[in-house]
Amino acid sequence: MALSQPVPVDPSGTTARSAAESARPDSQFEAAYNMASLSVGGTTLGPELQKVMREQLLEGFEQDPDFQAMELEFPGVTLAVVNAVLPVAVRQTDQNTPALIERLAKLYAAEMTADEIAVATEWFSSPAFSRISATMESNMDLSKIIRNSIADAESRVSSEDLDTIQNDSAAQSVSTMELADRAVLMRFSGTPAYAKLEALKSKSREIETIWTNENNPDHDAEMENIAIKALEEFTGLDLSE
């Protein structure tokens, strides 16, 4: 988790820290919250990850038998649906990311020292981390998760799925990393803060997995309505029944 942000897929849930946490005068928690926010890239999906999501959503729909049949009758309908649902998926992710940040912040505040949080914050706020994160986003392969979610709305993402996505993306990114960025990463990897983040990886991954799999009926209904509306507008069909 030290290299880049968690994988944001199929999000739902609360939109901000609880009032109780926000009001709590806890400098350790506030520092941990800031660190966690930096580690996941803030509360907005980056352009590289949005591009990946668009490409792999399109690929996933194109492999779905129902959309294959509809595409034969209405060429271009798949792209129309993807263009309609992607902004909604991005917005829903943005709305729920603070919930993930809060949960990670609680973990870090409880398990890390103030010095470790400060050193990690310096890394996560560095230009080197920003460049590495952007590269990792562009290398993320979400296709398996997307295909499973299209085929089965009840499909679940496992910790192993997230590990594979993260590790494969990190491996590709390290191989193309600039020497200066590699040097900054190597210095950070020799710190107690890095060692602590590595030790906490299984706990942070569990948090990310639970967050990824949470369902929000309102979000699900909105996404379905947007997709149906896009289909109706493109095909002229009435899909209300």
Side-chain angles (χ1 to χ4, degrees):
M1 160 126 191
L3 275 180
S4 184
Q5 58 202 57
V7 183
V9 287
D10 194 24
S12 61
T14 58
T15 61
R17 288 182 294 166
S18 66
E21 288 290 1
S22 298
R24 189 171 73 178
D26 188 337
S27 59
Q28 178 83 348
F29 176 82
E30 294 301 326
Y33 190 92
N34 181 50
M35 187 200 88
S37 179
L38 292 168
S39 76
V40 304
T43 58
T44 303
L45 285 182
E48 290 297 331
L49 190 53
Q50 289 188 42
K51 180 181 178 181
V52 168
M53 288 177 65
R54 183 180 187 279
E55 292 173 349
Q56 295 178 8
L57 268 173
L58 183 59
E59 178 184 342
F61 279 118
E62 286 175 343
Q63 295 178 8
D64 179 74
D66 292 336
F67 270 90
Q68 288 176 349
M70 191 168 290
E71 186 71 26
L72 289 175
E73 187 174 358
F74 303 100
V77 66
T78 306
L79 180 59
V81 172
V82 169
N83 287 339
V85 302
L86 180 59
V88 180
V90 170
R91 173 170 53 77
Q92 290 180 355
T93 302
D94 292 348
Q95 288 174 343
N96 193 47
T97 300
L100 172 62
I101 294 172
E102 179 182 352
R103 296 173 200 179
L104 291 172
K106 289 178 179 178
L107 172 66
Y108 299 149
E111 300 286 347
M112 298 178 71
T113 67
D115 286 344
E116 289 168 344
I117 291 174
V119 171
T121 299
E122 182 178 0
W123 160 246
F124 288 127
S125 60
S126 69
F129 174 75
S130 296
R131 286 190 291 268
I132 293 170
S133 292
T135 302
M136 287 188 66
E137 287 182 357
S138 67
N139 289 328
M140 280 186 178
D141 184 359
L142 308 177
S143 57
K144 176 185 175 182
I145 293 175
I146 290 174
R147 285 197 306 270
N148 289 345
S149 65
I150 291 173
D152 179 8
E154 300 300 321
S155 65
R156 311 293 285 177
V157 177
S158 68
S159 295
E160 290 74 20
D161 290 333
L162 297 185
D163 281 338
T164 297
I165 292 170
Q166 187 86 15
N167 293 339
D168 289 352
S169 176
Q172 294 182 58
S173 301
V174 168
S175 66
T176 60
M177 193 182 303
E178 296 179 9
L179 290 179
D181 291 345
R182 189 188 299 270
V184 176
L185 174 58
M186 291 300 294
R187 286 196 297 271
F188 175 61
S189 67
T191 65
Y194 179 91
K196 183 63 67 67
L197 286 172
E198 287 295 296
L200 294 174
K201 183 173 290 186
S202 62
K203 292 182 178 180
S204 62
R205 182 66 79 217
E206 180 181 4
I207 289 171
E208 294 159 11
T209 303
I210 292 172
W211 174 81
T212 296
N213 286 312
E214 286 176 340
N215 292 321
N216 183 315
D218 291 337
H219 281 182
D220 294 343
E222 179 186 25
M223 189 70 74
E224 182 178 0
N225 289 336
I226 291 294
I228 290 174
K229 181 179 178 181
L231 284 169
E232 290 182 332
E233 290 181 350
F234 192 90
T235 65
L237 299 174
D238 183 1
L239 304 176
S240 58
E241 296 184 359

